[in-house]
Amino acid sequence: MLQTSNLRLLFSPLKPFLPFSFSKPKPYSLSPSSLLLLLLLDDTLPRLATSLVILEAEVIVLLVERLIARVEKGTKVFQWEESGNETFGFNKRKAEGGDKSDKPKRNLQLKVRKLNPTNTISYMQILGTGMDTQDTSPSILFFFDKQRFIFNAGEGLQRFCTEHKIKLSKIDHVFLSRVCSETAGGIPGLLLTLAGMGEEGMSVNVWGPSDLQYLVDAMKSFIPHAAMVHTTSFGSDATAQFGASNFTDPINLVDNEVHPSDVMGPSIPDYLVSSPENVKTVTCIIHLSPPSVISSPNYQKWMKNFGSAQHIMAGHEMKNVEIPILKSSARIAARLNYLCPQFFPAPGFWSLKQDCVSKFPESISENLLKFTLRPHAHLGLDKSSIPSLMAPSEVIQELVTEIPEIVGAAQHVRQLWLGSAETKGDMTLVQDKYAVPSCLEDIRRDDLEIVLLGTGSSQPSKYRNVSSVYINLFSKGGLLLDCGEGTLGQLKRRYGVEGADLVVRNLKCIWISHIHADHHTGLARILALRCDLLKGVAHEPLVVIGPRQLKRFLDAYQRLEDLDMQFLDCRSTSLASWEASEGNSEYKHHSVSGSPNNLEDVNKPAVNTESTLFARGSRMQSYWKRPGNPVDNAMNFAVHKGLKKVLNEAGLEALISFPVVHCPQAFGIVLKAAERINSVGKMIPGWKILYSGDTRPCPELVEASRGATVLIHEATFEDDLVEEAVARNHSTTKEAIEVGDSAGAYRIILTHFSQRYPKIPVFDETHMHKMHCI
């Protein structure tokens, strides 16, 4: 692994276009001018506009140039590996969805853990209050020696527990006070994580109101049966069940074996002796209701009935804004902001006004606060686990102490930025050896911003959230490309609470690459919030573009809460489908095609797909060309028309989906800006952004990437794990770079790193020996 102990500024000129042939693969030497932009930690939330400075600092961020290994020696670096008649390897069964049949079917039995007869430890703990950025929902842990209960599991719960070393694998029961995205957004990810633990996986009980069945029905569209959940509904509807036997009420959740003969200490009174009705004593009440409810006269009157009971307000209340929930990522964000505030703006939670004072001075509401029940000698509040106050100034002082030279480096960055602003109008920091693409001529910083909201894969981790890319078009709105769990929280950490609300309110559309949970389980939370923010305001439903299975999830979920959206199949946004909707005679009678043409030349012949899943007569090609039913076609035409209007308002000429090799119905996307006229009347072509989604290298992806201004490509595995990459239909870092290089992409951003790399992904240093250092 590359170790970085100092800071370096790395510059790279423009890489010239390289041709590429699929019918007869040829090796190509890589130009030393090619560039890789690698985002290490998603919570740095950098903005990547047209300024092209590259920064490297100690285990914070590594933005390096690769692809130039052994170039001066004339070594041929790039060549598609051949296997039979194929020009690249991939797992065909996985891509077609047939690999599932190879796995033994699991029938996970619920593991019932009984309490220790000499149970000595019991406490309640706050797992997130949402009080810094409101990106987590209030959640409560009820802890026994051998049993764990969680009340509410909103988005971000896994990441919070990972950060603070709370083992969700020990959870036996999850209780939902309500069934909605705010309280249950973390359930899908939690179930998938538990299902993958150990050889047999784990199962969990979920309890909730009668509409819990709707959530279960929605999750069935993407959660495999191996992710066992035993569900029980209480209310008017019958008991729900998903992959396990039914429960019947009443049920004893806590098998209490502490018999009188087992008690080692003096007896503890369980009743109020003076009470004529012999009512049990209440020692602690945790309020999950928001302040607006708690402050009502009736609620206040009810609270007074509990005498000396300790009240803990766990609802949203902006109070401790200087104590971020995810301290590790906040620390990194503060360091990067010091280094280059233009690329790494101050985190949203530190920009909040700290004028919110609790309306309930007698209450306590802090992350990781405990209330001890046993041992009785320690009954009461325990603040030992509460995170300490962390201000940006403390983080910077720590950074300067560790790396003294960073002070001079930060000053150098400022001088470079100021010098660029004087000469180029704050449009680009680096004078490339080769000409900047014409599409970037006279472009302004407020024209485009790419914000990586998540650069990890599979599940959230301490340093990286899962996949999401925000395309910020500023006054023209924005788009989300993928929307993994915690996307809303990432927006709030980047833009603050009010800023994130503005982003959600002004979204033009959301595009989902495939149905895997790490790419879409944050979607419902975003849509529900947008619906709430726009109540009473004239607006159109938001267009969600995704694979066909996603519609099943959204349709089922809308029985829980209004999502105010319209769905469009990714196949309906292929180049051929757009042409058909426009009434172009060349495409009018054609079904949807799987091979997107070059955006600059729609008449260019399609790429040769003989060696891919999309070859004529293959299972995937026949699926891709399968027409929708008449109802879908009529509906798609109306949604198409609305989407085209939205794209025009956003200054976009095209949004085109194309098939990639990962799983059934996996897609990449091309965004192309409309042409514009500069101040002297010159026509300037629009920029082009391509996002790969999850994929193996494939001809469709390279063809769509040709001439891209920015290619955002997945790079899940290090180069030594190419066999695993092939088996899972992902790409290695080297393969991702080769795709961009062969397609002539101006800049490449790698993302979707395996969470096995907590900070810096592993790279082959032979591809990094030549860097431009200043």
Side-chain angles (χ1 to χ4, degrees), residues 193-506:
T193 297
L194 292 177
M197 287 183 172
E199 295 182 1
E200 297 182 357
M202 302 184 67
S203 60
V204 68
N205 269 312
V206 179
W207 302 72
S210 57
D211 50 4
L212 176 60
Q213 179 65 56
Y214 300 145
L215 177 63
V216 172
D217 289 342
M219 292 191 300
K220 284 181 180 179
S221 64
F222 66 91
I223 292 185
H225 288 293
M228 279 294 186
V229 52
H230 301 250
T231 64
T232 303
S233 299
F234 40 84
S236 59
D237 290 353
T239 296
Q241 183 262 340
F242 177 33
S245 58
N246 289 323
F247 289 108
T248 57
D249 290 325
I251 186 169
N252 186 18
L253 296 180
V254 180
D255 295 327
N256 191 343
E257 302 172 350
V258 182
H259 299 286
S261 59
D262 297 321
V263 176
M264 304 301 293
S267 299
I268 299 170
D270 285 333
Y271 299 93
L272 288 172
V273 179
S274 60
S275 171
E277 300 179 0
N278 214 26
V279 180
K280 283 190 175 182
T281 304
V282 176
T283 57
C284 180
I285 301 176
I286 298 177
H287 302 266
L288 293 174
S289 302
S292 58
V293 174
I294 296 176
S295 60
S296 65
N298 288 339
Y299 200 97
Q300 288 286 295
K301 181 179 179 181
W302 175 78
M303 289 174 61
K304 292 179 181 179
N305 293 330
F306 295 93
S308 60
Q310 176 66 61
H311 294 276
I312 299 178
M313 307 299 174
H316 293 312
E317 188 175 7
M318 293 193 305
K319 177 183 175 185
N320 300 323
V321 295
E322 281 196 299
I323 306 180
I325 291 178
L326 302 176
K327 294 186 67 174
S328 297
S329 59
R331 178 173 173 269
I332 290 170
R335 287 182 162 209
L336 288 172
N337 175 254
Y338 171 79
L339 184 62
C340 185
Q342 292 83 1
F343 274 130
F344 308 102
F349 48 81
W350 275 322
S351 62
L352 287 173
K353 296 180 180 179
Q354 301 182 49
D355 56 2
C356 299
V357 181
S358 175
K359 300 177 181 178
F360 315 101
E362 77 283 4
S363 69
I364 305 292
S365 183
E366 297 178 81
N367 289 315
L368 298 177
L369 174 72
K370 289 182 180 179
F371 187 91
T372 301
L373 299 171
R374 295 286 189 274
H376 190 263
H378 296 154
L379 179 70
L381 296 172
D382 179 359
K383 300 184 179 181
S384 60
S385 299
I386 296 176
S388 59
L389 183 69
M390 182 178 69
S393 58
E394 299 176 26
V395 177
I396 301 309
Q397 183 58 47
E398 177 188 62
L399 173 63
V400 172
T401 301
E402 291 179 7
I403 314 175
E405 59 267 35
I406 201 156
V407 177
Q411 292 175 349
H412 190 63
V413 171
R414 294 188 195 101
Q415 292 172 359
L416 283 173
W417 195 278
L418 291 174
S420 173
E422 292 174 359
T423 59
K424 297 285 289 183
D426 193 22
M427 292 175 208
T428 179
L429 284 175
V430 183
Q431 294 295 324
D432 282 342
K433 180 179 178 181
Y434 299 93
V436 174
S438 58
C439 64
L440 298 182
E441 182 179 335
D442 292 338
I443 197 169
R444 297 174 55 86
R445 176 163 293 283
D446 59 358
D447 285 337
L448 170 66
E449 178 179 83
I450 302 174
V451 182
L452 281 293
L453 298 174
T455 63
S457 63
S458 183
Q459 65 191 60
S461 72
K462 183 176 181 178
Y463 295 104
R464 291 194 187 130
N465 205 52
V466 288
S467 297
S468 186
V469 180
Y470 175 54
I471 306 298
N472 187 4
L473 302 174
F474 295 89
S475 62
K476 298 178 181 178
L479 299 84
L480 280 175
L481 309 182
D482 279 335
C483 192
E485 177 186 344
T487 293
L488 179 59
Q490 295 290 81
L491 285 172
K492 290 184 176 181
R493 272 188 282 275
R494 167 61 180 86
Y495 295 105
V497 175
E498 294 180 358
D501 286 350
L502 184 63
V503 167
V504 173
R505 187 183 293 113
N506 293 330

Side-chain angles (χ1 to χ4, degrees), residues 595-609:
S595 302
N597 299 321
N598 192 303
L599 287 172
E600 284 75 18
D601 182 7
V602 296
N603 294 317
K604 183 178 178 179
V607 65
N608 182 356
T609 61

Side-chain angles (χ1 to χ4, degrees), residues 87-134:
T87 56
F88 63 92
F90 64 91
N91 184 340
K92 185 175 182 180
R93 290 179 61 83
K94 181 178 178 62
E96 294 179 343
D99 62 328
K100 296 178 182 178
S101 61
D102 296 336
K103 300 177 181 178
K105 293 185 178 180
R106 293 181 177 181
N107 184 22
L108 303 187
Q109 299 299 317
L110 183 66
K111 298 177 177 64
V112 179
R113 288 181 283 212
K114 296 183 178 181
L115 284 176
N116 191 323
T118 57
N119 180 58
T120 57
I121 300 176
S122 176
Y123 61 82
M124 291 180 289
Q125 187 172 27
I126 309 296
L127 302 185
T129 64
M131 290 198 315
D132 51 1
T133 58
Q134 301 182 11

